[in-house]
Amino acid sequence: MAKGIYMTESNNPSRPGDIGRRISVIGAGYVGLPTAVVLSHRGHFVTVAERNVERFRELVTGKSSRAEQGLDELIGEGMASGRLRFVDDAAEAVAEAEFVFLCVETPQAPDGSADLTSIIRAAEQIASRLAPGAVIANKSTVPLGTVRLIEQLIGRTDVAVVSNPEFLREGSAIADSLNPDRVVVGADNQEAAGRVAQLFCGPEVPVVITDTTTSELIKYASNAFLATKLTFVNTMVSMCEEVGADANDLLLGIGYDKRIGFEFLHPGPGWGGSCLPKDTSALVAIANAAGSNVGIVRAAIAGNEDQLDRVAAKIRDAAGGELRGRTIGVLGLSFKANTNDRRNSPAVSITKRLVHEGAKVRAFDPTVHSENAHDEDLQHLTIVDSPYSAIAGAHSVVVLTEWPEFQDLDFSKILELVARPAIVDARNYLDFEALIRLGFTYSCIGRK
Ligand code: UGA
């Protein structure tokens, strides 16, 4: 496949439907595991290497601890069909593979750049064991030039290395992998690029074949664009409070412009998770090193910190203007609903600000259980096992994660349990008219 853009099922010269390939996935994390189960679901033979002993032991029993819709079902399906297996050694996993997907973590280093330790380790482990003609596709989010680095580490002319960034979201990773918006492959070896793209083809999926640097930058640019859009939304919605405009109508008014759209237009306590914060910082580090000015991305990051402060201030106001000695009942700790991931969670960052100002925080999240009470990021909180325990005696009830079940709480009962009838809805998704009718003071993003 030459460099260009293709539509599968229409002008794509490599047609889908090719099954039975031998594939290895290195790393069973948020990207690797969904990728592996979906490839096995499509009829390929997939061996997954996971070096974390605890995670490996769990996977060989056919389960994962990820709150990811459809994941456990596809693990079960793959293992039952004999097309999915787990090993704890990357070298063993790749021995017969035609394709090797690198899906290892690239955490943020202290200077904001991506830490490539796991990529380097994986490349060194597999180099001598790869079958001739194998294609390595890197899905880990990596600095520009990492495909070149992997090529050097592998040091073999009979093996191709391509970039194949991943765009799936936690919580809907299976659906996103089954129906991608687009497939991007960056490669020098266009034949290898076509073969990788073919694995992910579905009806009418645009395939962008490009060079490796552009492919690596596409990943960062996508996440930075999404982060910037959200900071813009949160900033404009907050401005509505200052000028007396209606935030909801503002979003409708701009969202109906098809060029803007309603996707990623929902205000919240700030963006978080394992990707947007890490990737925006990494992009700034890459730009700095290249002498390129990405002030807009730096502004998006700073604007997100402002948003966390704004929400903390709202909670202080709702609690009576002072947090010292106040109890705050928090609903939701994961960085968004439908995941148990709390990495860079705005909810955790905001509760830290509250505790810093002297508040006692009692928190409930459907994915946080008593065994999590010792987790490092929760040490400042009291974790409770029901939403009603979280809000009992609270001077303010705060919704920080948009779990659907919080909409169905018995707010009349909550009214009787709280010390002060104040609700801060940092996800703008509760029925505010009903809450106000019940006697709560209600504030959200864009409404005091
Ligand atoms: C993000 C991207 O959306 C994926 O395309 C990408 O593949 C992934 O990072 C990655 O790099 O691996 P994810 O981290 O799962 O996916 O989370 P998002 O759904 O993008 O949400 C990020 C944050 O934005 C969350 O804190 C969420 O609550 C917030 N958000 C999202 C809003 O506040 N409003 C919205 O309208 C959407």
Side-chain angles (χ1 to χ4, degrees), residues 8 12 16 18 23 25 34-36 38-39 42 44 99 101 137 139 164-166 176-180 182-185 193-203 205-207:
T8 58
N12 184 352
D18 186 19
I23 296 172
V25 175
T35 302
V38 164
L39 287 168
R42 290 181 163 203
H44 301 294
F99 299 93
F101 286 94
K139 277 193 176 295
N164 175 220
E166 188 50 67
D176 290 348
S177 301
L178 285 168
N179 301 301
R182 79 294 208 188
V183 173
V184 175
V185 188
R195 286 171 61 204
V196 170
Q198 196 171 17
L199 295 172
F200 298 99
C201 285
V205 179
V207 175

Side-chain angles (χ1 to χ4, degrees), residues 183-238:
V183 173
V184 175
V185 188
D188 292 338
N189 180 331
Q190 304 298 338
E191 191 264 336
R195 286 171 61 204
V196 170
Q198 196 171 17
L199 295 172
F200 298 99
C201 285
E204 296 293 314
V205 179
V207 175
V208 179
I209 304 284
T210 183
D211 60 89
T212 58
T213 305
T214 308
S215 173
E216 289 165 339
L217 189 57
I218 284 171
K219 171 67 189 193
Y220 285 115
S222 298
N223 276 355
F225 185 88
L226 293 172
T228 307
K229 183 173 184 182
L230 284 180
T231 294
F232 182 83
V233 166
N234 285 333
T235 305
M236 289 312 300
V237 164
S238 297

Side-chain angles (χ1 to χ4, degrees), residues 166-168 170 219 223 230 264 266 272 275 335-336 427:
E166 188 50 67
F167 304 104
L168 54 81
E170 284 181 39
K219 171 67 189 193
N223 276 355
L230 284 180
F264 248 71
H266 198 85
C275 305
F335 83 94
K336 62 177 182 177
R427 294 287 179 168

Side-chain angles (χ1 to χ4, degrees), residues 151-174:
E151 277 170 353
Q152 283 163 18
L153 292 165
I154 298 288
R156 289 180 45 177
T157 51
D158 61 338
V159 169
V161 185
V162 308
S163 158
N164 175 220
E166 188 50 67
F167 304 104
L168 54 81
R169 293 161 297 174
E170 284 181 39
S172 54
I174 300 296

